[in-house]
Amino acid sequence: MIEIMAIVRPNKTSATKQALININRPGYTCVRAVGRGKKTVEVILSDGKKLKTKLVSKRMFLIVVEDKAKEEVVQAIIDANWSGNEGDGKIFVTKIVDSYNVHLE
């Protein structure tokens, strides 16, 4: 098993969810996150002013799948989020050593 962590733009949340559904991978965790890459980011506010910020709002998807599904899931996320601009997102893949269900006996 592997975990795929995808950090994407908030406006791509729906597209990412739909991409996962389209490849029959509807199970995921999605949380709000803030962070930044190597550079500060210039944000244009609603009044048109520009602001340099150190933290940017993102969405983080956590998806656990069998190893053989890795390429399909990663490609679906890339296809849903690619715009050709910096900050489109980042994807990390890690091995899952163990997994446990929490439930009542």
Side-chain angles (χ1 to χ4, degrees), residues 38-103:
K38 295 175 186 168
K39 302 176 187 177
T40 56
V41 176
E42 189 171 86
V43 177
I44 299 174
L45 302 174
S46 57
D47 62 1
K49 292 182 182 175
K50 293 181 181 178
L51 171 71
K52 288 198 181 229
T53 181
K54 293 182 180 178
L55 294 175
V56 179
S57 181
K58 296 287 185 173
R59 295 297 179 270
M60 181 170 54
F61 282 82
L62 302 170
I63 307 126
V64 178
V65 296
E66 60 279 357
D67 292 17
K68 66 181 182 178
K70 177 179 75 170
E71 295 302 324
E72 180 183 36
V73 173
V74 168
Q75 193 59 55
I77 294 167
I78 290 170
D79 291 345
N81 288 278
W82 188 83
S83 73
N85 298 308
E86 269 188 46
D88 279 346
K90 192 83 166 181
I91 300 172
F92 302 93
V93 178
T94 57
K95 285 273 187 198
I96 299 293
V97 176
D98 286 315
S99 171
Y100 301 93
N101 286 329
V102 178
H103 58 85

